[in-house]
Amino acid sequence: SNRKLGNGHNQESALQLFVNAKKKINDIFRNIGQYVLEADKFVQDVTSVPECSVIVGPENSEVVHGFCEKIDGITEVLARDHMKVVFFGRTSNGKSTVINAMLRDKILPSGIGHTTHCFIQVEGSDSKDGFLLTEDTDKPKSITDIKQLASALSDVKLQENSLIRILWPKEKCRLLREDVVLVDSPGIDVSPDLDLWIDKFCVDADVFVLVANAESTLMQTEKNFFHKVSEKLSKPNIFILQNRWDVSEMEEDIDQVKQQHIDRNSDFLAEELKVTDKKGAKDRLFFVSAREALASRLNNDNVFATPERVLLPGFQARLFEFANFEKEFEVCISQSAVKTKFEQHTNRAHYINSELRTVMEEAYTKSLSLQDEQMQLRKEKSDRLSHLDRQLDLLTGEVKNKIKAMVEDVERKVSCALND
Ligand code: GTP
Ligand code: MG
């Protein structure tokens, strides 16, 4: 039962907000799509009849046809929409370990020294086994190549700003099943290319996690990077994990150190970056041990014995704090993604709907006036007809009279002749 709870099978997670909204908006776009298709067919039918072509002008028929393509485009984007979280921090602070702990599996390479050499994105896949995709080819690679491709220790290493995608079976992980994509990065202290990193990997991120080392204070490199991020994006959602708390917590005066972290980190978020207020900043800060979280989860989920010396005294509180971080994170990322991603789609849907309506209303008024015109024409025609009728009537009357007169005349002449 531990396992089930841990994997979140039994609880409704905050991520369902996004998952459900995505389903709903998909349905809405399917409906709009049908409506647009019908409208397009109607417009084509109408314009193919020469007498009716005035009802929908060529610009409007192009507009309607364009909507079909737009809807197709949006539907495609929608299918790919997900919640994205990006992890940054200095080398060896534990970024890869944090992600592995959240995924409850040792998917990303981690270790001492400079380990992660390029960006690695973990996303869900419907396939049974995991595989890798690199930017140079469509051909999937084996998951076991990850170490060689992404490691700073390897000879054939990729560029720092290149991306490896790990497609990992959704059935193995709730986060991936619920449409979260996690992006690991090389240490921000090893690259001068931070602007490029932001442009390439951060513009569509819903949440940023700064993995800091609790054994030291936030470094200027870390701060500078997030200054850049918040210049380029408006009010990014940033969480700070003070990691390696298992080691730090054994130090002397740890309560004061903790308070110092709290003060400095909330100053950083609230006063420097201005991404939240002082009170809100405290909810974005967590003291954790990714190593313990990962070890205990591997243990709980797979019934392996937790290696000795991994769980240090007081580990329960740190595990609890890690789970708390995840809870806050899930609420934040689903709300943010629904807003930023689906608000755009909803606005487009409104726009398409109202434009389509304008075109249709124009077509309707035009068809009404066309109908009017034709009625008028018919009426004029029928006026002329009845005149003719009347003339015919008169004419036939005259003819009748004439014939009558002639007959009478003949009769009279005949009777006269007989009487003679
Ligand atoms: P780079 O990829 O090199 O930038 O490092 P990273 O930030 O991804 O760090 P990584 O996850 O590889 O962790 C570095 C080392 O620190 C590994 O040996 C981890 O086991 C260890 N480590 C990570 N988190 C913790 C922690 O909370 N406590 C302790 N004691 N060790 C940790
Ligand atoms: Mg790493």
Side-chain angles (χ1 to χ4, degrees):
S1 72
N2 225 353
R3 175 174 181 179
K4 273 187 188 158
L5 259 180
N7 279 336
H9 288 307
N10 291 345
Q11 332 146 256
E12 172 94 339
S13 86
L15 299 174
Q16 287 296 320
L17 178 77
F18 178 88
V19 176
N20 290 332
K22 184 167 165 178
K23 271 192 207 121
K24 211 178 270 173
I25 204 159
N26 251 315
D27 287 345
I28 291 173
F29 269 95
R30 204 168 314 121
N31 282 336
I32 298 180
Q34 255 158 5
Y35 173 44
V36 169
L37 268 183
E38 273 167 34
D40 188 42
K41 191 175 173 302
F42 166 78
V43 166
Q44 277 176 7
D45 286 352
V46 164
T47 43
S48 69
V49 180
E51 291 87 354
C52 299
S53 59
V54 287
I55 294 176
V56 185
E59 335 79 57
N60 278 352
S61 100
E62 228 164 77
V63 165
V64 174
H65 196 65
F67 284 156
C68 292
E69 283 161 28
K70 261 203 188 118
I71 295 278
D72 283 349
I74 294 171
T75 316
E76 216 174 276
V77 172
L78 249 175
R80 274 185 281 115
D81 268 338
H82 51 244
M83 295 169 269
K84 179 170 164 181
V85 49
V86 197
F87 296 79
F88 288 104
R90 273 179 310 128
T91 306
S92 279
N93 279 4
K95 301 177 291 296
S96 305
T97 311
V98 168
I99 298 176
N100 285 339
M102 290 174 78
L103 295 171
R104 307 178 156 265
D105 213 329
K106 237 178 159 163
I107 299 175
L108 298 169
S110 70
I112 54 169
H114 169 34
T115 306
T116 310
H117 188 74
C118 62
F119 281 80
I120 309 177
Q121 171 165 312
V122 188
E123 53 191 285
S125 126
D126 292 317
S127 60
K128 227 177 127 281
D129 298 303
F131 57 95
L132 306 181
L133 289 174
T134 47
E135 290 172 303
D136 55 322
T137 164
D138 289 337
K139 246 177 79 179
K141 294 186 167 74
S142 157
I143 202 87
T144 51
D145 290 344
I146 188 69
K147 203 138 195 183
Q148 203 202 359
L149 286 169
S151 166
L153 299 171
S154 156
D155 320 324
V156 289
K157 51 185 175 254
L158 297 171
Q159 288 255 310
E160 275 157 15
N161 55 29
S162 57
L163 176 71
I164 298 176
R165 291 166 64 197
I166 298 184
L167 283 292
W168 192 252
K170 281 182 191 164
E171 56 175 33
K172 286 192 185 172
C173 178
R174 178 182 64 85
L175 276 189
L176 303 179
R177 207 160 43 238
E178 295 187 317
D179 257 347
V180 178
V181 166
L182 304 94
V183 181
D184 192 10
S185 66
I188 36 177
D189 43 341
V190 301
S191 171
D193 244 356
L194 299 180
D195 286 302
L196 184 71
W197 281 15
I198 295 173
D199 293 341
K200 191 169 172 190
F201 300 105
C202 300
V203 282
D204 62 338
D206 301 293
V207 167
F208 294 83
V209 177
L210 167 57
V211 181
N213 185 346
E215 291 157 293
S216 67
T217 54
L218 281 189
M219 298 271 168
Q220 206 52 48
T221 42
E222 291 166 317
K223 287 186 165 189
N224 286 345
F225 178 75
F226 280 95
H227 273 290
K228 273 182 198 286
V229 168
S230 62
E231 271 163 29
K232 292 205 181 190
L233 307 170
S234 85
K235 291 223 176 195
N237 299 305
I238 303 171
F239 284 82
I240 300 179
L241 293 181
Q242 289 293 351
N243 195 35
R244 307 176 70 88
W245 194 238
D246 51 334
V247 186
S248 311
E249 208 164 23
M250 320 250 241
E251 298 291 324
E252 270 176 48
D253 300 326
I254 194 60
D255 290 339
Q256 278 124 294
V257 173
K258 186 173 185 179
Q259 192 54 49
Q260 190 187 54
H261 278 318
I262 292 173
D263 293 342
R264 292 195 177 175
N265 288 185
S266 29
D267 273 355
F268 176 55
L269 292 178
E271 254 135 54
E272 283 188 43
L273 298 180
K274 297 189 170 52
V275 291
T276 174
D277 56 20
K278 266 273 167 67
K279 202 187 144 292
K282 292 215 175 73
D283 300 329
R284 291 293 169 84
L285 174 61
F286 297 87
F287 294 83
V288 296
S289 165
R291 193 162 91 128
E292 287 177 331
L294 176 62
S296 96
R297 285 165 180 200
L298 290 177
N299 172 32
N300 280 342
D301 292 355
N302 297 318
V303 213
F304 290 139
T306 304
E308 276 177 43
R309 284 172 287 112
V310 169
L311 299 183
L312 299 180
F315 70 91
Q316 284 100 338
R318 291 186 293 273
L319 293 183
F320 193 67
E321 180 101 342
F322 198 93
N324 260 344
F325 152 66
E326 291 175 304
K327 232 185 270 162
E328 288 290 323
F329 156 79
E330 291 187 10
V331 170
C332 176
I333 197 168
S334 56
Q335 285 176 353
S336 162
V338 165
K339 194 159 163 29
T340 55
K341 288 178 183 154
F342 297 158
E343 204 169 63
Q344 270 175 25
H345 296 320
T346 319
N347 288 343
R348 285 199 194 106
H350 275 306
Y351 170 75
I352 290 177
N353 252 357
S354 77
E355 285 294 289
L356 204 53
R357 194 185 170 149
T358 312
V359 171
M360 286 317 194
E361 276 174 357
E362 214 176 295
Y364 179 67
T365 26
K366 276 197 181 145
S367 73
L368 273 188
S369 60
L370 191 69
Q371 202 178 21
D372 237 31
E373 250 169 53
Q374 277 180 347
M375 288 253 281
Q376 198 64 40
L377 265 171
R378 215 173 296 151
K379 194 168 162 287
E380 275 167 25
K381 242 190 233 163
S382 80
D383 282 352
R384 245 180 289 140
L385 269 181
S386 49
H387 175 66
L388 213 67
D389 255 5
R390 242 172 297 127
Q391 279 186 324
L392 270 178
D393 269 354
L394 284 178
L395 208 66
T396 44
E398 249 168 59
V399 172
K400 235 186 341 199
N401 288 340
K402 243 185 200 152
I403 292 174
K404 203 174 150 197
M406 270 167 64
V407 172
E408 280 172 4
D409 189 40
V410 171
E411 270 177 1
R412 211 183 317 124
K413 279 180 181 161
V414 170
S415 72
C416 277
L418 283 177
N419 287 341
D420 277 346

